[in-house]
Amino acid sequence: MTIVTTLSIYLTLGAVAGTMAGVFGVGGGLIIVPVLVFAFGLQNIASEIAMHLAIGTSLATILVTGSSSTLGHYRRGSIHRGWLKALLPGLVLGSIVGAFIADNLSGTVLGTMFGIFVLLIAAKMVFGLTPKQGSASPGKWIMTLAGGAIGAVSALFGIGGGAMTVPLLSRCGASMTQAVGTAAAVGLPIALVGALAFIVVGWGNPLLPAWTTGFVMWPAFFSIVVTSVPFARLGVKLAHVLPAHVLRLSFALLLAVVGVRFLLS
């Protein structure tokens, strides 16, 4: 496969991931990881590391693409700094643990786990499960443990953690705006620490192709970043035109297909 063809695939992936993130209001990792695995397969990258490389690269892109969203929420005052600070130690440690767990799993097992996780997200969307509003105010250690779980799962699957952070903060009494804004900020330390951890655990792997540092593929990273941000704006515009229930069910169907594909591969 030529470099032009490869870059075209990555640029297209960024456009698709950005559009879907804007339309469906989810982090791009759920889209980036499976498509990168497919793209790496076309490039004959070893299947033993394709999943790890996709996850590490996804986390690196989230660090950039998530910064814009976080800045927007910060300017609107929708980030709860106290909760973010309480979650931070767990997020950092959990992200490191998640990367090391991934490194000790085979590509097949990691892919199966990702497939199950995606199917759970799809089921949540189909049944319209939304976080219950609460008023609990958990202590520091509870928030640290929660941050650890969120960081570990997010780094393990290459996502930003919003699917777990929003329900947690809603139960703590946050409004949906505040929960989403804080969840966006939570994604940054996960992405930074997770990407660095995947670089460390993948360092020197003999199966790695050119233009990689550990489990981060730089041509894919830069291409996705270049196209995902502007296309996310397009996705937001489409989201205001298309019916909400159609969007939710369409994305759930897509995730279900992706999840089944990973389980069968």
Side-chain angles (χ1 to χ4, degrees), residues 192-241:
L192 174 61
V193 176
L196 289 174
F198 269 89
I199 287 176
V200 170
V201 299
W203 193 273
N205 191 303
L207 298 176
L208 287 172
W211 302 102
T212 59
T213 304
F215 287 134
V216 174
M217 166 70 82
W218 295 113
F221 166 79
F222 287 111
S223 299
I224 291 169
V225 167
V226 165
T227 54
S228 63
V229 174
F231 274 88
R233 298 191 184 101
L234 171 63
V236 171
K237 293 180 179 179
L238 292 174
H240 286 83
V241 175

Side-chain angles (χ1 to χ4, degrees), residues 108-243:
T108 300
V109 171
L110 191 54
T112 299
M113 292 174 64
F114 182 83
I116 294 172
F117 179 77
V118 168
L119 287 174
L120 290 174
I121 297 296
K124 177 183 176 182
M125 298 186 74
V126 168
F127 294 107
L129 301 178
T130 56
K132 295 181 179 179
Q133 190 75 22
S135 58
S137 182
K140 179 180 177 180
W141 287 107
I142 297 297
M143 291 294 276
T144 299
L145 290 173
I150 292 170
V153 173
S154 300
L156 184 62
F157 297 130
I159 61 175
M164 294 166 286
T165 306
V166 171
L168 169 68
L169 297 184
S170 293
R171 289 183 178 276
C172 292
S175 65
M176 184 54 65
T177 300
Q178 197 172 47
V180 171
T182 307
V186 159
L188 296 186
I190 291 174
L192 174 61
V193 176
L196 289 174
F198 269 89
I199 287 176
V200 170
V201 299
W203 193 273
N205 191 303
L207 298 176
L208 287 172
W211 302 102
T212 59
T213 304
F215 287 134
V216 174
M217 166 70 82
W218 295 113
F221 166 79
F222 287 111
S223 299
I224 291 169
V225 167
V226 165
T227 54
S228 63
V229 174
F231 274 88
R233 298 191 184 101
L234 171 63
V236 171
K237 293 180 179 179
L238 292 174
H240 286 83
V241 175
L242 301 174

Side-chain angles (χ1 to χ4, degrees), residues 81-92:
R81 299 184 187 182
W83 285 334
L84 178 61
K85 184 178 179 180
L87 289 168
L88 189 57
L91 294 173
V92 172

